[in-house]
Amino acid sequence: GGGLEELLNAAIRTGAPLFNQGDIAGCVSVYRQAASDCLALPPSNPLQVSRLEQGLREAECCTSPSDAAWALRRMMDCVIAAQRVERQMVGMRGIIAAAVQLGVPLYNAGDHAGCYRAYKSCCEAIVERVRVKADGLSDEIASSVVHDVEAALRSAESDASGDAAKAWELRRALDSVMESLDSAGGFGTSALVAFDFSQTQQIWNEVSDGVMGGTSRGQMTLEGGGGFAPFF
């Protein structure tokens, strides 16, 4: 976790001044080396690996050093932000939210294959988490989650209609898993604390979902003594 942030923040401290001084090629070299160094770290979150690889691929396709530098910098900022967000998330919900945070912008930018890869990595991670009983799911919910996710993976793998359809197939599966986690008994007897309000400071994170090309609206009200809103 911290290794990624340390490497990327160090690269930004070195590369940004080079860019501002006009040494664009030097900046690109620093950023590309940092991404490669991060990929050489012991495997951790497959979604972060996807972000790093996507940034390197995008930079390779750029026609100017300046565009390549910005492609790498956007990737680095995304990885750093995701690390901070994921530290505030819990278990399976966290990796699903992180996958959506990565996949939706990719899909909306036209990179349906990248979105599909992000969701596929997440689905595979979910199956592994259930296998090792990492989230304390009840047997019923665990069985349902694995059945649905593995069925979606097989269906997407055999879908010949394109990466957009594959991405949607897995996105629907991820949404279904979230619904299962929200259902009664989804977390067995384990109590999960999202925020400890006895602490004087809290770190709040917004995760916006562009609905992969659509529009959604929500409303919160305190009328009647209460209300609700999603948070991560």
Side-chain angles (χ1 to χ4, degrees):
L4 289 178
E5 284 188 65
E6 290 166 8
L7 283 170
L8 296 181
N9 280 322
I12 291 170
R13 288 193 297 270
T14 301
L18 291 176
F19 187 98
N20 293 335
Q21 293 162 13
D23 185 2
I24 311 301
C27 175
V28 171
S29 177
V30 169
Y31 287 174
R32 183 176 285 123
Q33 184 61 52
S36 298
D37 290 345
C38 287
L39 288 171
L41 292 173
S44 54
N45 187 337
L47 297 176
Q48 291 290 54
V49 173
S50 294
R51 292 183 177 101
L52 291 162
E53 291 176 340
Q54 172 66 23
L56 287 169
R57 284 194 299 270
E58 185 178 343
E60 285 295 324
C61 294
C62 290
T63 57
S64 74
S66 179
D67 288 344
W70 276 113
L72 292 167
R73 177 57 189 272
R74 286 193 297 271
M75 171 271 290
M76 294 163 70
D77 289 343
C78 180
V79 170
I80 291 169
Q83 287 291 99
R84 294 170 180 168
V85 168
E86 288 162 17
R87 282 200 298 270
Q88 302 302 314
M89 296 178 177
V90 179
M92 195 178 293
R93 293 173 183 270
I95 65 170
I96 293 173
V100 171
Q101 185 187 45
L102 171 62
V104 169
L106 291 175
Y107 189 100
N108 289 342
D111 186 2
H112 300 156
C115 179
Y116 168 60
R117 286 192 297 270
Y119 290 169
K120 181 180 179 182
S121 294
C122 182
C123 287
E124 291 170 345
I126 286 171
V127 172
E128 178 62 16
R129 289 185 69 86
V130 173
R131 187 186 70 80
V132 300
K133 301 183 177 181
D135 297 278
L137 301 179
S138 68
D139 290 343
E140 180 182 358
I141 296 296
S143 176
S144 174
V145 165
V146 169
H147 177 273
D148 291 348
V149 170
E150 288 186 335
L153 284 168
R154 288 192 300 270
S155 177
E157 188 72 25
S158 62
D159 193 330
S161 57
D163 290 322
K166 292 174 182 281
W168 271 113
E169 184 88 30
L170 297 187
R171 175 58 191 275
R172 285 190 288 269
L174 294 177
D175 290 344
S176 177
V177 171
M178 289 294 274
E179 291 175 5
S180 295
L181 296 179
D182 288 337
S183 67
F187 281 107
T189 59
S190 301
L192 301 178
V193 178
F195 290 99
D196 181 0
F197 288 99
S198 66
Q199 301 298 314
T200 57
Q201 292 185 332
Q202 302 288 340
I203 300 177
W204 300 86
N205 298 286
E206 175 189 356
V207 178
S208 298
D209 180 356
V211 200
M212 302 209 309
T215 302
S216 64
R217 292 185 175 87
Q219 181 176 358
M220 183 182 76
T221 177
L222 297 179
E223 294 179 4
F228 65 91
F231 66 89
F232 296 98

